[in-house]
Amino acid sequence: MPSSTACQIVREDRQSSLPDMERDRSGCGSANDDPEPSRSALERNVRICDCMIDIAAALFNVSGRELRQPGRTCTSVARVRQIAMYVTHVVMGMTMSEVGRGFGRDRTTVLHACHLIEDMRDDADFDALVVTTEKVARAALRGMERI
């Protein structure tokens, strides 16, 4: 599991880039776009996603640095990230756009991850991994869910 100092550095780094994330509204302004969140909501979402990345890193014995890495990664790391994004969306009730911002990914990447994980849950062993991840996330992030 990453050290708390390393996590703090990453969190500060990501929070310092929040104004850029606020301005970067890639996409067309369609009716499906989320309203522009406040800075405090963005910071909360980034904290939740950072915590979920740390949880997934610990559960699946994958480096948090690899999970936070921009761009493509090997399949095993990408799968863990997809599970983390799925659980963040389902358990925390965050929109796919919010999850995407928190993970440094696009909304459509989160959509793809959620569809993929849903399809893979037909396998009982894989479903058990996702259920365990959901339980740990609920316990660790209790009180941070959307009301």
Side-chain angles (χ1 to χ4, degrees):
M1 190 163 166
S3 70
S4 61
T5 306
C7 292
Q8 185 62 33
I9 291 168
V10 170
R11 286 186 187 108
E12 288 171 1
D13 212 25
R14 294 187 78 196
Q15 286 177 347
S16 68
S17 68
L18 286 176
D20 295 336
M21 290 167 47
E22 288 176 345
R23 283 193 298 271
D24 182 22
R25 298 274 308 163
S26 58
C28 300
S30 68
N32 293 334
D33 282 351
D34 294 331
E36 193 67 35
S38 68
R39 181 166 178 82
S40 63
L42 282 170
E43 289 171 353
R44 174 191 168 275
N45 293 343
V46 168
R47 275 195 316 274
I48 289 171
C49 292
D50 276 341
C51 289
M52 193 62 231
I53 289 170
D54 291 340
I55 290 167
L59 284 174
F60 295 99
N61 198 29
V62 174
S63 163
R65 174 174 274 162
E66 285 182 291
L67 291 175
R68 288 179 175 89
Q69 209 170 29
R72 296 181 185 267
T73 54
C74 66
T75 304
S76 60
V77 172
R79 186 74 68 233
V80 172
R81 185 185 307 112
Q82 289 165 340
I83 292 170
M85 289 190 291
Y86 171 82
V87 170
T88 304
H89 171 65
V90 171
V91 171
M92 300 310 295
M94 292 171 56
T95 67
M96 291 184 187
S97 294
E98 291 168 336
V99 174
R101 283 186 204 107
F103 276 79
R105 298 293 197 268
D106 187 74
R107 168 188 61 84
T108 58
T109 303
V110 180
L111 177 66
H112 171 72
C114 289
H115 285 291
L116 189 70
I117 298 305
E118 274 297 324
D119 290 345
M120 293 178 75
R121 289 190 81 170
D122 291 339
D123 177 85
D125 291 335
F126 185 80
D127 185 59
L129 288 172
V130 176
V131 167
T132 299
T133 308
E134 289 173 336
K135 287 179 182 178
V136 171
R138 272 192 196 93
L141 301 172
R142 182 171 287 126
M144 294 181 80
E145 308 93 341
R146 283 189 177 237
I147 299 174

